[in-house]
Amino acid sequence: MNWTHMIHRTLTALFAAALLATPALAQDTEQGQTGQADPGTAVDNPSLDPDRDTVTAGVGVVVIPDYEGSNDYRVIPGAIVRGKVSGISFFTRGLALFVDVIPEPPGESVDISFGPMIQYRGGRSSLDSIEDPRIRALGETDSALEVGAWAGVSKTGIITSAYDTLGARISYQHDVIGGHDSYVITPTIEYGTPLSTTTFVGLGVTADYVGDDFARTYFSIAPGQSVASGLPAYDADGGFKSVGGTLILGQSLSGDLRHGLGLFGLIGYNRLLGDFADSPIVSVAGSRNQWFGGIGLGYTF
């Protein structure tokens, strides 16, 4: 594992539990104070060995839309966990758990990732949290449990230094309990660079492609729902649902992002596309422009 990988995953994991439909930068990152690795660090302090078993836990608050497509926002808490045991990594992102079953070879600049993932999607299952009475009148949508897999590749030493990282990944998941009985495909490109051992910045760009049943569940309006809500009836088809990006910044409070306490913040934007943006749930009652942001504290053991 290289030094830029571990800080990056530590940072982005902190807010992932609260960002239900957003991209997250998934690579681990570490580097030295001057942009050069210190070969004696792991020997002098085993807790900073990049190949050690490690766990990061974080809590924070995040501002997100009431539902995907809403123009009303709410503040919710979030909590995460990520770690690496015997070279196998795991991390939460949103209400999803990802596992990378390919051990990262030490000293390599190219990292291949692959493994299973599982995600819970609540949809509009809690109407009390939705401010717009027209959306509440549509009724609840069933929760979904999505199971799938993901794969990615990243390379360290691309643009700014020997320690920045550029990566790409794609995930596929399918609902297995009949919530929307469809699939979601998410391609992502991400870039991260450490400015020092105490400061890190990262950027991710992502899109979602979903099936017809996903579109009908969350963005269509049946005639009966139209009567109840006053919104026009609408039948959405699957396709590219959204595209967006996330900017994340991390600052160590204990002198080193690889270990100890850190403060993290992010801001992100998603834009709904096509049938999803044209749905009255979005175009009449909400907005195709979806913003989110958050701040929190994390500790790496």
Side-chain angles (χ1 to χ4, degrees):
M1 178 189 295
N2 61 67
W3 281 31
T4 50
H5 281 311
M6 194 168 101
I7 292 175
H8 201 172
R9 182 169 294 168
T10 299
L11 294 177
T12 56
L14 290 177
F15 297 102
L19 301 178
L20 305 185
T22 66
L25 311 178
Q27 301 302 312
D28 295 339
T29 61
E30 286 191 346
Q31 63 96 45
Q33 176 72 35
T34 62
Q36 305 230 347
D38 178 1
T41 300
V43 175
D44 299 335
N45 187 350
S47 69
L48 300 184
D49 179 1
D51 295 315
R52 79 191 194 280
D53 291 348
T54 180
V55 174
T56 297
V59 294
V61 293
V62 181
V63 179
I64 60 171
D66 281 357
Y67 62 90
E68 189 172 18
S70 177
N71 59 1
D72 298 314
Y73 288 80
R74 56 192 169 111
V75 179
I76 64 173
I80 65 90
V81 64
R82 51 82 48 192
K84 180 172 68 72
V85 177
S86 301
I88 303 300
S89 300
F90 57 90
F91 53 95
T92 56
R93 183 174 308 133
L95 296 181
L97 172 65
F98 292 76
V99 178
D100 180 6
V101 300
I102 301 179
E104 301 171 8
E108 295 293 332
S109 64
V110 176
D111 178 34
I112 304 296
S113 300
F114 174 80
M117 55 88 57
I118 184 169
Q119 175 169 333
Y120 172 82
R121 189 184 301 272
R124 297 192 303 272
S125 58
S126 178
L127 297 181
D128 291 341
S129 64
I130 296 176
E131 183 175 339
D132 196 316
R134 295 169 295 182
I135 303 302
R136 293 200 302 269
L138 295 175
E140 295 183 352
T141 57
D142 291 335
S143 299
L145 184 65
E146 300 164 359
V147 176
W150 68 288
V153 60
S154 63
K155 183 162 190 328
T156 302
I158 294 291
I159 301 173
T160 61
S161 72
Y163 301 103
D164 64 342
T165 300
L166 179 67
R169 69 176 182 274
I170 189 167
S171 64
Y172 173 92
Q173 60 226 56
H174 198 287
D175 175 35
V176 296
I177 62 172
H180 58 75
D181 198 27
S182 190
Y183 63 88
V184 181
I185 301 173
T186 303
T188 301
I189 297 175
E190 57 208 5
Y191 174 77
T193 184
L195 306 180
S196 69
T197 54
T198 61
T199 306
F200 175 87
V201 63
L203 175 67
V205 179
T206 192
D208 278 335
Y209 187 95
V210 303
D212 289 340
D213 287 338
F214 183 105
R216 296 188 185 105
T217 299
Y218 299 118
F219 291 90
S220 292
I221 300 176
Q225 292 176 309
S226 176
V227 171
S229 66
L231 296 172
Y234 186 77
D235 186 18
D237 292 325
F240 277 103
K241 175 177 66 68
S242 61
V243 62
T246 304
L247 176 67
I248 186 167
L249 178 68
Q251 180 66 43
S252 173
L253 299 178
S254 55
D256 197 320
L257 283 167
R258 296 165 293 174
H259 187 271
L261 189 65
L263 175 67
F264 309 93
L266 69 78
I267 185 170
Y269 170 78
N270 281 341
R271 184 172 177 84
L272 293 169
L273 307 172
D275 277 15
F276 308 93
D278 292 339
S279 168
I281 293 172
V282 178
S283 62
V284 177
S287 172
R288 68 173 59 196
N289 301 307
Q290 303 284 280
W291 294 91
F292 54 90
I295 188 168
L297 291 170
Y299 194 91
T300 298
F301 299 89

